[in-house]
Structures are given as structure tokens and as C-alpha cells.
């Protein structure tokens, strides 16, 4: 398979579609990003990396960070984790509050904001220096030491965190958050502010392609069963209220972020990261989904 040729072709087909989405505007640090950027990178199980366009430009990974924090927590927890967070698609926007009251403060899944806050809260119980541990974990998965928080994004997120605070306090009233809200929101906003390139992101999901083993260190990160579960969660919940549509159009488990990044995988084969900051109405990269739909169509492979 000539992946370089395939992504170059798709890049040229999708590039004229700039202008169909809208850059995230809930914080100034993201609203000011140049919308006309677009990159694609692929990492494969034989250790190769392919890239095109702005694939070496850093951007805010936002909710893609939820995959890393969930991995760190799943590593330590077994069945008991699923008592404090569910594993059903929510069918609601990522920052929605509606289901939480009648579901007694148990978020539907770990990828909506409420669920991610519960996961980060448990991570803080496990790691005394959570921000440092998150950064180190991501660096190891991406096989790159050059990964940092973007302080201006983190500050901006913290200033506009009212809704995430509300989600947190509401769950705390049901006893589903242990840590002080200010410290929880600080860790959460920092994890969302991590900046990475498409190349680093594609590499950083290779442990999920590789059934739980980090191919760059040989270290087992998750058991085969937990790796399967995490991939299943990405397939059913990775794109919020667009998860069904993404599975229908693309056919790969993946995760998006409002920075415009998407990473998706085919277990045993490859990981692909796409970035373009213009979002559709569900908060997922418009050109990212277009690219991935064309990719699985062109290579004639998906997980199905
Ligand atoms: N920082 C964002 C938030 O919590 C992340 C959301 C996202 O990427 N979908 O609202």
C-alpha cells in the first residue's frame, strides 16, 4: 500500500473544502488560530511514518487528551471503574449537563467532559504530580520528549471553565468527585492544552494499534482486553453526538478534539492523525472527517 501517495491525493482533494466549518471560539487562544491549516500523518506497525501538509505543526489536542488520561487510569483500575463512569454513547454535546441529574452524577462515558473530569479526578488520586505524569505519559507514547502544555491555552481555558466547574460540582454533590474543584479543573484545563503535531499524535496512538503494547519501548500499557475496551469506547463515544455518523462514514475507532485534531486507528495496522481547525456543528474537524472517510474508502479497509 502506497500510503504517501494516498494521503497526498486526499490532501489535494480535501484542501478546497476550507470554509465549511468554524474554528472553536469559546476561548480567545483557540479563536485566534489560523483556520487554513491542514495536515495528515500515518504511523504503521512496521515503524514507518508518512505525512503531508501541516503534519509537523503543533496544535491544541484538547479532548484527544482524554484517551491518554483514561489509559493511565484503566491501567490501575478493573471493573470498579465502571461504577463511577458509564460506557454508553450519550447522544448529547460534549459539555452537556442534561443526563447527569437523572443518572445520579454518573456520566454516560469517559469522553464527554463530565466523564473525563471523573477520570482526571481518579488520576489525581493515583499520581501525586498529575500534570507532570500526564505529560511524561504522552511523551512516552509519542516517542518524543518535545511535548508541552500551552500556557496561554491553559490560562484561557481556566478563565472560561464555568461549565466544566458546574459539571464537576454537580457530580461532587453525588459523591462522584474526590478532589477540590479548583485543582481538578486546573489539571483538566492543562491536559486539554497539550500541543502536538499530527506526526506525534499518530505515533502516540500506536499502543492502541498494537493491542496495548507501546511499540517504541516494548512496554505493556494496557492488557489486550483493556486495549479492546478502550478502542470500543472510541468507536461508540469518540465523537460525541456524531459518533454513529463517524462510524458509519469512516469505520475506525478514533477521538477528536475542538482544536481540530482527530486520531483514528485500524488495530494491527496503522494510526492516522488529521488536523484542520475548522469544526462542524458537533465540534469535530470538518476536513478531518472528510479526509478519514476518503482514506478508508480509498484503501478499501476499515475495522469492518
Ligand atoms: N477544553 C474543552 C472543554 O473542556 C475540550 C472539549 C473538546 O475538545 N471537545 O470544553
Amino acid at each position: 500500500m502506497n500510503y504517501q501517495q494516498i494521503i497526498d491525493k486526499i490532501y489535494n482533494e480535501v484542501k478546497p473544502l476550507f470554509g465549511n466549518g468554524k474554528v472553536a471560539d469559546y476561548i480567545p487562544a483557540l479563536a485566534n488560530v489560523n483556520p487554513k491549516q491542514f495536515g495528515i500523518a500515518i504511523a504503521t506497525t512496521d515503524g514507518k511514518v508518512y505525512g503531508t501538509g501541516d503534519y509537523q505543526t503543533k496544535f491544541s489536542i484538547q479532548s484527544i487528551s482524554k484517551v491518554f488520561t483514561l489509559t493511565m487510569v484503566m491501567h490501575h483500575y478493573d471493573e470498579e471503574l465502571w461504577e463511577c463512569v458509564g460506557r454508553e454513547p450519550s447522544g448529547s454535546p460534549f459539555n452537556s449537563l442534561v443526563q447527569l441529574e437523572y443518572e445520579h452524577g454518573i456520566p454516560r462515558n469517559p469522553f464527554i467532559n463530565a466523564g473525563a473530569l471523573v477520570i482526571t479526578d481518579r488520576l489525581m488520586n493515583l499520581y501525586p504530580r498529575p500534570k507532570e505524569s500526564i505529560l511524561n505519559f504522552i511523551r512516552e507514547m509519542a516517542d518524543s520528549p518535545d511535548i508541552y502544555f500551552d500556557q496561554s491555552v491553559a490560562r484561557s481555558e481556566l478563565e472560561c471553565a464555568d461549565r466544566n466547574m458546574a459539571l464537576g460540582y454537580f457530580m461532587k454533590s453525588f459523591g462522584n468527585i474526590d478532589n477540590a474543584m479548583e485543582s481538578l479543573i486546573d489539571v483538566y484545563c492543562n491536559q486539554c492544552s497539550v500541543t502536538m503535531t499530527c506526526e506525534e499524535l499518530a505515533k502516540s496512538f500506536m499502543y492502541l494499534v498494537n493491542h496495548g503494547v507501546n511499540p517504541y519501548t516494548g512496554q505493556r500499557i494496557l492488557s489486550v482486553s483493556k486495549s479492546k475496551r478502550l478502542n470500543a469506547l472510541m468507536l461508540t463515544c469518540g465523537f460525541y453526538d456524531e459518533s454513529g455518523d463517524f462510524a458509519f462514514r469512516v469505520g475506525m475507532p478514533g477521538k477528536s478534539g475542538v482544536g481540530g485534531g482527530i486520531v483514528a486507528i485500524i488495530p494491527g495496522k496503522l494510526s492516522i492523525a488529521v488536523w484542520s481547525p475548522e469544526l462542524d456543528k458537533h465540534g469535530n474537524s470538518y476536513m478531518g472527517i472528510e479526509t478519514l472517510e476518503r482514506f478508508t474508502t480509498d484503501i478499501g479497509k476499515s475495522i469492518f
Side-chain angles (χ1 to χ4, degrees), residues 26 61-64 66 94-95 113 157 164 188 192 240 255-259 283:
Y26 72 98
I61 69 166
Q62 293 292 327
S63 285
I64 299 172
K66 295 170 181 172
F94 61 84
N95 54 5
N113 285 10
E157 297 267 354
N164 284 327
Y188 176 77
C192 289
Y240 318 111
K255 186 73 202 79
S256 63
V258 289

Side-chain angles (χ1 to χ4, degrees), residues 15 23 26 31 51 63 78 83 87 101 112 126 189 200 207 216 254-255 262 272 277 301:
K15 211 169 170 202
V23 172
Y26 72 98
S63 285
D78 289 310
E83 285 161 23
R87 59 235 186 178
E101 180 162 25
I112 50 172
L126 293 163
C189 289
E200 286 163 345
Y207 71 99
Y216 308 109
K255 186 73 202 79
I262 298 180
I272 174 166
K301 284 194 189 75

Side-chain angles (χ1 to χ4, degrees), residues 14 18 25 37 78 98 181 192 197 208 214 217 260 277 291 295:
V14 173
F18 277 130
D25 55 7
Q37 301 186 81
D78 289 310
V98 288
M181 200 50 58
C192 289
T197 66
L208 292 167
N214 178 347
T217 60
T291 298
F295 179 69

